[in-house]
Amino acid sequence: NNTLWAATSTGRIFVSKNADAKNPADVTFNRLDQFSSIDPNRWPSAIWVSSSNPNQAIVSYSGYNAVTPATPGHIFGVTYNPATKQATWVRIDDDSLGDLPIADVQVDEQRHVLYASTDFGVVKLRLKGNGGPFRGAEKWRLAGATEAPHHYVVANGYGADPACATDRYLVEHDPYAVI
């Protein structure tokens, strides 16, 4: 795999798809934070890259939400689209985490659990659904925002995300009502 994620202390997030180029001068980076209106203007503390999809990462931020009240959050899922060279950002943490700066993140992909370390200990967050760090509703929103002549939906309606179970009856009895 020739993908490399990187960050700067000023909050910039980059990805390279040719990190293994023979000549280091040929390595190119695409800046991803410019595509987000929700990432906080604080320093990234860690980047965890999915082993099953190197275009998906979880980025954690240090600092306090009180410093950036318009853009709260400490843990974000980022999906990079190599075709468009753009990224989609989703806030993963919620207010139940509190205003705790995150030092590092790791994910148990088999159990769909994210572990985030803080100055006060380790926080365990259950990731929603089986599609990685992105909630079911966000997957639907992204599918609708994708420009394509046709959209196909493949779903079993039995994901771990509570939103998936909400309309299970409709999926089984009247799937067009869901779409």
PDB file of all heavy atoms in Angstrom, residues 149-179:
ATOM      1  N   PRO A 149     -24.809   8.546 -12.296  1.00  0.00           N
ATOM      2  CA  PRO A 149     -26.044   8.391 -13.060  1.00  0.00           C
ATOM      3  C   PRO A 149     -27.038   7.451 -12.381  1.00  0.00           C
ATOM      4  O   PRO A 149     -28.236   7.594 -12.542  1.00  0.00           O
ATOM      5  CB  PRO A 149     -25.583   7.831 -14.402  1.00  0.00           C
ATOM      6  CG  PRO A 149     -24.229   7.263 -14.158  1.00  0.00           C
ATOM      7  CD  PRO A 149     -23.647   8.024 -13.003  1.00  0.00           C
ATOM      8  N   HIS A 150     -26.550   6.480 -11.595  1.00  0.00           N
ATOM      9  CA  HIS A 150     -27.415   5.521 -10.899  1.00  0.00           C
ATOM     10  C   HIS A 150     -26.871   5.306  -9.493  1.00  0.00           C
ATOM     11  O   HIS A 150     -25.672   5.331  -9.270  1.00  0.00           O
ATOM     12  CB  HIS A 150     -27.449   4.170 -11.626  1.00  0.00           C
ATOM     13  CG  HIS A 150     -27.913   4.264 -13.042  1.00  0.00           C
ATOM     14  ND1 HIS A 150     -29.222   4.444 -13.387  1.00  0.00           N
ATOM     15  CD2 HIS A 150     -27.216   4.232 -14.198  1.00  0.00           C
ATOM     16  CE1 HIS A 150     -29.323   4.507 -14.705  1.00  0.00           C
ATOM     17  NE2 HIS A 150     -28.114   4.380 -15.225  1.00  0.00           N
ATOM     18  N   HIS A 151     -27.766   5.067  -8.565  1.00  0.00           N
ATOM     19  CA  HIS A 151     -27.382   4.694  -7.210  1.00  0.00           C
ATOM     20  C   HIS A 151     -27.981   3.329  -6.905  1.00  0.00           C
ATOM     21  O   HIS A 151     -29.125   3.063  -7.244  1.00  0.00           O
ATOM     22  CB  HIS A 151     -27.912   5.708  -6.175  1.00  0.00           C
ATOM     23  CG  HIS A 151     -27.200   7.005  -6.217  1.00  0.00           C
ATOM     24  ND1 HIS A 151     -27.682   8.114  -6.887  1.00  0.00           N
ATOM     25  CD2 HIS A 151     -26.025   7.392  -5.680  1.00  0.00           C
ATOM     26  CE1 HIS A 151     -26.851   9.108  -6.749  1.00  0.00           C
ATOM     27  NE2 HIS A 151     -25.839   8.704  -6.025  1.00  0.00           N
ATOM     28  N   TYR A 152     -27.196   2.471  -6.290  1.00  0.00           N
ATOM     29  CA  TYR A 152     -27.661   1.151  -5.899  1.00  0.00           C
ATOM     30  C   TYR A 152     -27.558   1.035  -4.382  1.00  0.00           C
ATOM     31  O   TYR A 152     -26.579   1.478  -3.792  1.00  0.00           O
ATOM     32  CB  TYR A 152     -26.825   0.053  -6.555  1.00  0.00           C
ATOM     33  CG  TYR A 152     -26.901   0.102  -8.061  1.00  0.00           C
ATOM     34  CD1 TYR A 152     -25.983   0.828  -8.797  1.00  0.00           C
ATOM     35  CD2 TYR A 152     -27.910  -0.564  -8.735  1.00  0.00           C
ATOM     36  CE1 TYR A 152     -26.060   0.888 -10.186  1.00  0.00           C
ATOM     37  CE2 TYR A 152     -27.995  -0.514 -10.121  1.00  0.00           C
ATOM     38  CZ  TYR A 152     -27.069   0.220 -10.832  1.00  0.00           C
ATOM     39  OH  TYR A 152     -27.160   0.272 -12.194  1.00  0.00           O
ATOM     40  N   VAL A 153     -28.538   0.450  -3.778  1.00  0.00           N
ATOM     41  CA  VAL A 153     -28.523   0.258  -2.336  1.00  0.00           C
ATOM     42  C   VAL A 153     -28.428  -1.232  -2.049  1.00  0.00           C
ATOM     43  O   VAL A 153     -29.239  -2.011  -2.540  1.00  0.00           O
ATOM     44  CB  VAL A 153     -29.802   0.830  -1.678  1.00  0.00           C
ATOM     45  CG1 VAL A 153     -29.804   0.541  -0.183  1.00  0.00           C
ATOM     46  CG2 VAL A 153     -29.906   2.322  -1.942  1.00  0.00           C
ATOM     47  N   VAL A 154     -27.406  -1.596  -1.281  1.00  0.00           N
ATOM     48  CA  VAL A 154     -27.257  -2.967  -0.829  1.00  0.00           C
ATOM     49  C   VAL A 154     -27.248  -2.893   0.687  1.00  0.00           C
ATOM     50  O   VAL A 154     -26.364  -2.289   1.284  1.00  0.00           O
ATOM     51  CB  VAL A 154     -25.944  -3.598  -1.337  1.00  0.00           C
ATOM     52  CG1 VAL A 154     -25.793  -5.008  -0.812  1.00  0.00           C
ATOM     53  CG2 VAL A 154     -25.904  -3.553  -2.853  1.00  0.00           C
ATOM     54  N   ALA A 155     -28.259  -3.473   1.312  1.00  0.00           N
ATOM     55  CA  ALA A 155     -28.370  -3.391   2.769  1.00  0.00           C
ATOM     56  C   ALA A 155     -29.083  -4.614   3.302  1.00  0.00           C
ATOM     57  O   ALA A 155     -29.948  -5.171   2.640  1.00  0.00           O
ATOM     58  CB  ALA A 155     -29.148  -2.133   3.158  1.00  0.00           C
ATOM     59  N   ASN A 156     -28.693  -5.002   4.514  1.00  0.00           N
ATOM     60  CA  ASN A 156     -29.391  -6.125   5.121  1.00  0.00           C
ATOM     61  C   ASN A 156     -30.401  -5.660   6.168  1.00  0.00           C
ATOM     62  O   ASN A 156     -31.225  -6.431   6.609  1.00  0.00           O
ATOM     63  CB  ASN A 156     -28.413  -7.137   5.719  1.00  0.00           C
ATOM     64  CG  ASN A 156     -27.607  -6.579   6.867  1.00  0.00           C
ATOM     65  OD1 ASN A 156     -27.912  -5.518   7.407  1.00  0.00           O
ATOM     66  ND2 ASN A 156     -26.559  -7.290   7.241  1.00  0.00           N
ATOM     67  N   GLY A 157     -30.326  -4.399   6.584  1.00  0.00           N
ATOM     68  CA  GLY A 157     -31.276  -3.870   7.547  1.00  0.00           C
ATOM     69  C   GLY A 157     -31.083  -4.381   8.958  1.00  0.00           C
ATOM     70  O   GLY A 157     -31.909  -4.146   9.821  1.00  0.00           O
ATOM     71  N   TYR A 158     -29.985  -5.073   9.190  1.00  0.00           N
ATOM     72  CA  TYR A 158     -29.749  -5.639  10.516  1.00  0.00           C
ATOM     73  C   TYR A 158     -28.410  -5.188  11.090  1.00  0.00           C
ATOM     74  O   TYR A 158     -27.778  -5.903  11.835  1.00  0.00           O
ATOM     75  CB  TYR A 158     -29.789  -7.169  10.467  1.00  0.00           C
ATOM     76  CG  TYR A 158     -31.180  -7.681  10.201  1.00  0.00           C
ATOM     77  CD1 TYR A 158     -31.597  -7.921   8.900  1.00  0.00           C
ATOM     78  CD2 TYR A 158     -32.076  -7.891  11.235  1.00  0.00           C
ATOM     79  CE1 TYR A 158     -32.876  -8.373   8.645  1.00  0.00           C
ATOM     80  CE2 TYR A 158     -33.360  -8.337  10.986  1.00  0.00           C
ATOM     81  CZ  TYR A 158     -33.755  -8.586   9.693  1.00  0.00           C
ATOM     82  OH  TYR A 158     -35.016  -9.020   9.440  1.00  0.00           O
ATOM     83  N   GLY A 159     -27.945  -4.002  10.751  1.00  0.00           N
ATOM     84  CA  GLY A 159     -26.676  -3.496  11.263  1.00  0.00           C
ATOM     85  C   GLY A 159     -26.750  -3.184  12.745  1.00  0.00           C
ATOM     86  O   GLY A 159     -27.817  -3.169  13.354  1.00  0.00           O
ATOM     87  N   ALA A 160     -25.604  -2.916  13.342  1.00  0.00           N
ATOM     88  CA  ALA A 160     -25.543  -2.600  14.768  1.00  0.00           C
ATOM     89  C   ALA A 160     -26.024  -1.191  15.065  1.00  0.00           C
ATOM     90  O   ALA A 160     -26.342  -0.864  16.190  1.00  0.00           O
ATOM     91  CB  ALA A 160     -24.107  -2.766  15.267  1.00  0.00           C
ATOM     92  N   ASP A 161     -26.081  -0.336  14.060  1.00  0.00           N
ATOM     93  CA  ASP A 161     -26.552   1.032  14.239  1.00  0.00           C
ATOM     94  C   ASP A 161     -28.041   1.012  14.540  1.00  0.00           C
ATOM     95  O   ASP A 161     -28.821   0.436  13.787  1.00  0.00           O
ATOM     96  CB  ASP A 161     -26.277   1.806  12.947  1.00  0.00           C
ATOM     97  CG  ASP A 161     -26.601   3.278  13.034  1.00  0.00           C
ATOM     98  OD1 ASP A 161     -27.290   3.695  13.992  1.00  0.00           O
ATOM     99  OD2 ASP A 161     -26.169   4.014  12.138  1.00  0.00           O
ATOM    100  N   PRO A 162     -28.473   1.634  15.651  1.00  0.00           N
ATOM    101  CA  PRO A 162     -29.899   1.632  15.983  1.00  0.00           C
ATOM    102  C   PRO A 162     -30.773   2.201  14.865  1.00  0.00           C
ATOM    103  O   PRO A 162     -31.910   1.794  14.693  1.00  0.00           O
ATOM    104  CB  PRO A 162     -29.978   2.510  17.236  1.00  0.00           C
ATOM    105  CG  PRO A 162     -28.621   2.457  17.821  1.00  0.00           C
ATOM    106  CD  PRO A 162     -27.666   2.290  16.663  1.00  0.00           C
ATOM    107  N   ALA A 163     -30.224   3.133  14.087  1.00  0.00           N
ATOM    108  CA  ALA A 163     -31.009   3.710  12.990  1.00  0.00           C
ATOM    109  C   ALA A 163     -31.356   2.653  11.942  1.00  0.00           C
ATOM    110  O   ALA A 163     -32.375   2.747  11.268  1.00  0.00           O
ATOM    111  CB  ALA A 163     -30.248   4.859  12.342  1.00  0.00           C
ATOM    112  N   CYS A 164     -30.520   1.622  11.810  1.00  0.00           N
ATOM    113  CA  CYS A 164     -30.803   0.560  10.847  1.00  0.00           C
ATOM    114  C   CYS A 164     -32.033  -0.240  11.267  1.00  0.00           C
ATOM    115  O   CYS A 164     -32.830  -0.665  10.440  1.00  0.00           O
ATOM    116  CB  CYS A 164     -29.615  -0.384  10.724  1.00  0.00           C
ATOM    117  SG  CYS A 164     -28.172   0.362   9.972  1.00  0.00           S
ATOM    118  N   ALA A 165     -32.186  -0.470  12.566  1.00  0.00           N
ATOM    119  CA  ALA A 165     -33.296  -1.271  13.052  1.00  0.00           C
ATOM    120  C   ALA A 165     -34.616  -0.499  13.056  1.00  0.00           C
ATOM    121  O   ALA A 165     -35.685  -1.099  13.010  1.00  0.00           O
ATOM    122  CB  ALA A 165     -33.001  -1.769  14.466  1.00  0.00           C
ATOM    123  N   THR A 166     -34.523   0.825  13.083  1.00  0.00           N
ATOM    124  CA  THR A 166     -35.719   1.649  13.169  1.00  0.00           C
ATOM    125  C   THR A 166     -36.702   1.346  12.050  1.00  0.00           C
ATOM    126  O   THR A 166     -37.900   1.225  12.280  1.00  0.00           O
ATOM    127  CB  THR A 166     -35.334   3.142  13.127  1.00  0.00           C
ATOM    128  OG1 THR A 166     -34.422   3.386  14.188  1.00  0.00           O
ATOM    129  CG2 THR A 166     -36.551   4.026  13.275  1.00  0.00           C
ATOM    130  N   ASP A 167     -36.211   1.191  10.851  1.00  0.00           N
ATOM    131  CA  ASP A 167     -37.088   0.972   9.711  1.00  0.00           C
ATOM    132  C   ASP A 167     -36.994  -0.449   9.164  1.00  0.00           C
ATOM    133  O   ASP A 167     -37.277  -0.696   7.997  1.00  0.00           O
ATOM    134  CB  ASP A 167     -36.766   1.980   8.605  1.00  0.00           C
ATOM    135  CG  ASP A 167     -37.116   3.400   9.009  1.00  0.00           C
ATOM    136  OD1 ASP A 167     -38.142   3.568   9.689  1.00  0.00           O
ATOM    137  OD2 ASP A 167     -36.371   4.309   8.648  1.00  0.00           O
ATOM    138  N   ARG A 168     -36.605  -1.392  10.025  1.00  0.00           N
ATOM    139  CA  ARG A 168     -36.454  -2.783   9.582  1.00  0.00           C
ATOM    140  C   ARG A 168     -37.752  -3.322   8.980  1.00  0.00           C
ATOM    141  O   ARG A 168     -37.753  -3.998   7.963  1.00  0.00           O
ATOM    142  CB  ARG A 168     -36.010  -3.671  10.731  1.00  0.00           C
ATOM    143  CG  ARG A 168     -35.740  -5.104  10.291  1.00  0.00           C
ATOM    144  CD  ARG A 168     -35.135  -5.932  11.400  1.00  0.00           C
ATOM    145  NE  ARG A 168     -33.834  -5.381  11.716  1.00  0.00           N
ATOM    146  CZ  ARG A 168     -33.324  -5.324  12.949  1.00  0.00           C
ATOM    147  NH1 ARG A 168     -33.998  -5.792  13.956  1.00  0.00           N
ATOM    148  NH2 ARG A 168     -32.141  -4.819  13.163  1.00  0.00           N
ATOM    149  N   TYR A 169     -38.877  -3.000   9.617  1.00  0.00           N
ATOM    150  CA  TYR A 169     -40.162  -3.476   9.110  1.00  0.00           C
ATOM    151  C   TYR A 169     -40.394  -2.958   7.680  1.00  0.00           C
ATOM    152  O   TYR A 169     -40.816  -3.708   6.804  1.00  0.00           O
ATOM    153  CB  TYR A 169     -41.309  -3.031  10.026  1.00  0.00           C
ATOM    154  CG  TYR A 169     -42.665  -3.489   9.522  1.00  0.00           C
ATOM    155  CD1 TYR A 169     -43.139  -4.762   9.834  1.00  0.00           C
ATOM    156  CD2 TYR A 169     -43.446  -2.671   8.705  1.00  0.00           C
ATOM    157  CE1 TYR A 169     -44.354  -5.200   9.355  1.00  0.00           C
ATOM    158  CE2 TYR A 169     -44.667  -3.104   8.221  1.00  0.00           C
ATOM    159  CZ  TYR A 169     -45.118  -4.359   8.546  1.00  0.00           C
ATOM    160  OH  TYR A 169     -46.316  -4.797   8.059  1.00  0.00           O
ATOM    161  N   LEU A 170     -40.097  -1.688   7.464  1.00  0.00           N
ATOM    162  CA  LEU A 170     -40.281  -1.125   6.127  1.00  0.00           C
ATOM    163  C   LEU A 170     -39.349  -1.784   5.112  1.00  0.00           C
ATOM    164  O   LEU A 170     -39.755  -2.053   3.981  1.00  0.00           O
ATOM    165  CB  LEU A 170     -40.046   0.387   6.145  1.00  0.00           C
ATOM    166  CG  LEU A 170     -41.136   1.219   6.796  1.00  0.00           C
ATOM    167  CD1 LEU A 170     -40.712   2.687   6.859  1.00  0.00           C
ATOM    168  CD2 LEU A 170     -42.442   1.080   6.044  1.00  0.00           C
ATOM    169  N   VAL A 171     -38.101  -2.032   5.516  1.00  0.00           N
ATOM    170  CA  VAL A 171     -37.147  -2.678   4.601  1.00  0.00           C
ATOM    171  C   VAL A 171     -37.680  -4.042   4.178  1.00  0.00           C
ATOM    172  O   VAL A 171     -37.591  -4.427   3.011  1.00  0.00           O
ATOM    173  CB  VAL A 171     -35.759  -2.811   5.262  1.00  0.00           C
ATOM    174  CG1 VAL A 171     -34.842  -3.696   4.446  1.00  0.00           C
ATOM    175  CG2 VAL A 171     -35.134  -1.441   5.459  1.00  0.00           C
ATOM    176  N   GLU A 172     -38.270  -4.772   5.124  1.00  0.00           N
ATOM    177  CA  GLU A 172     -38.766  -6.122   4.826  1.00  0.00           C
ATOM    178  C   GLU A 172     -40.069  -6.115   4.052  1.00  0.00           C
ATOM    179  O   GLU A 172     -40.309  -6.985   3.222  1.00  0.00           O
ATOM    180  CB  GLU A 172     -38.936  -6.894   6.127  1.00  0.00           C
ATOM    181  CG  GLU A 172     -37.630  -7.205   6.819  1.00  0.00           C
ATOM    182  CD  GLU A 172     -37.823  -7.836   8.188  1.00  0.00           C
ATOM    183  OE1 GLU A 172     -38.954  -7.815   8.723  1.00  0.00           O
ATOM    184  OE2 GLU A 172     -36.829  -8.336   8.733  1.00  0.00           O
ATOM    185  N   HIS A 173     -40.952  -5.129   4.302  1.00  0.00           N
ATOM    186  CA  HIS A 173     -42.297  -5.171   3.736  1.00  0.00           C
ATOM    187  C   HIS A 173     -42.571  -4.141   2.627  1.00  0.00           C
ATOM    188  O   HIS A 173     -43.433  -4.361   1.792  1.00  0.00           O
ATOM    189  CB  HIS A 173     -43.344  -5.019   4.854  1.00  0.00           C
ATOM    190  CG  HIS A 173     -43.305  -6.158   5.805  1.00  0.00           C
ATOM    191  ND1 HIS A 173     -42.510  -6.161   6.928  1.00  0.00           N
ATOM    192  CD2 HIS A 173     -43.949  -7.357   5.775  1.00  0.00           C
ATOM    193  CE1 HIS A 173     -42.673  -7.302   7.573  1.00  0.00           C
ATOM    194  NE2 HIS A 173     -43.534  -8.051   6.896  1.00  0.00           N
ATOM    195  N   ASP A 174     -41.846  -3.014   2.661  1.00  0.00           N
ATOM    196  CA  ASP A 174     -42.063  -1.982   1.651  1.00  0.00           C
ATOM    197  C   ASP A 174     -40.750  -1.207   1.434  1.00  0.00           C
ATOM    198  O   ASP A 174     -40.625  -0.054   1.838  1.00  0.00           O
ATOM    199  CB  ASP A 174     -43.180  -1.027   2.088  1.00  0.00           C
ATOM    200  CG  ASP A 174     -43.568  -0.052   0.991  1.00  0.00           C
ATOM    201  OD1 ASP A 174     -43.100  -0.199  -0.165  1.00  0.00           O
ATOM    202  OD2 ASP A 174     -44.361   0.882   1.294  1.00  0.00           O
ATOM    203  N   PRO A 175     -39.754  -1.847   0.794  1.00  0.00           N
ATOM    204  CA  PRO A 175     -38.428  -1.217   0.685  1.00  0.00           C
ATOM    205  C   PRO A 175     -38.433   0.119  -0.060  1.00  0.00           C
ATOM    206  O   PRO A 175     -37.606   0.967   0.228  1.00  0.00           O
ATOM    207  CB  PRO A 175     -37.592  -2.269  -0.061  1.00  0.00           C
ATOM    208  CG  PRO A 175     -38.576  -3.176  -0.699  1.00  0.00           C
ATOM    209  CD  PRO A 175     -39.811  -3.148   0.144  1.00  0.00           C
ATOM    210  N   TYR A 176     -39.363   0.320  -0.963  1.00  0.00           N
ATOM    211  CA  TYR A 176     -39.396   1.589  -1.690  1.00  0.00           C
ATOM    212  C   TYR A 176     -39.772   2.764  -0.787  1.00  0.00           C
ATOM    213  O   TYR A 176     -39.448   3.903  -1.060  1.00  0.00           O
ATOM    214  CB  TYR A 176     -40.324   1.512  -2.889  1.00  0.00           C
ATOM    215  CG  TYR A 176     -39.795   0.587  -3.947  1.00  0.00           C
ATOM    216  CD1 TYR A 176     -40.316  -0.684  -4.113  1.00  0.00           C
ATOM    217  CD2 TYR A 176     -38.725   0.963  -4.748  1.00  0.00           C
ATOM    218  CE1 TYR A 176     -39.812  -1.550  -5.072  1.00  0.00           C
ATOM    219  CE2 TYR A 176     -38.192   0.107  -5.703  1.00  0.00           C
ATOM    220  CZ  TYR A 176     -38.742  -1.154  -5.861  1.00  0.00           C
ATOM    221  OH  TYR A 176     -38.237  -1.999  -6.785  1.00  0.00           O
ATOM    222  N   ALA A 177     -40.432   2.488   0.332  1.00  0.00           N
ATOM    223  CA  ALA A 177     -40.780   3.546   1.277  1.00  0.00           C
ATOM    224  C   ALA A 177     -39.519   4.074   1.973  1.00  0.00           C
ATOM    225  O   ALA A 177     -39.466   5.225   2.382  1.00  0.00           O
ATOM    226  CB  ALA A 177     -41.772   3.035   2.324  1.00  0.00           C
ATOM    227  N   VAL A 178     -38.511   3.226   2.106  1.00  0.00           N
ATOM    228  CA  VAL A 178     -37.256   3.643   2.737  1.00  0.00           C
ATOM    229  C   VAL A 178     -36.431   4.474   1.767  1.00  0.00           C
ATOM    230  O   VAL A 178     -35.829   5.478   2.135  1.00  0.00           O
ATOM    231  CB  VAL A 178     -36.458   2.418   3.223  1.00  0.00           C
ATOM    232  CG1 VAL A 178     -35.117   2.835   3.802  1.00  0.00           C
ATOM    233  CG2 VAL A 178     -37.265   1.628   4.225  1.00  0.00           C
ATOM    234  N   ILE A 179     -36.394   4.057   0.525  1.00  0.00           N
ATOM    235  CA  ILE A 179     -35.604   4.750  -0.480  1.00  0.00           C
ATOM    236  C   ILE A 179     -36.265   6.055  -0.832  1.00  0.00           C
ATOM    237  O   ILE A 179     -35.740   7.080  -0.883  1.00  0.00           O
ATOM    238  CB  ILE A 179     -35.414   3.875  -1.730  1.00  0.00           C
ATOM    239  CG1 ILE A 179     -34.653   2.627  -1.339  1.00  0.00           C
ATOM    240  CG2 ILE A 179     -34.667   4.647  -2.813  1.00  0.00           C
ATOM    241  CD1 ILE A 179     -34.565   1.597  -2.431  1.00  0.00           C
TER     242      ILE A 179
END
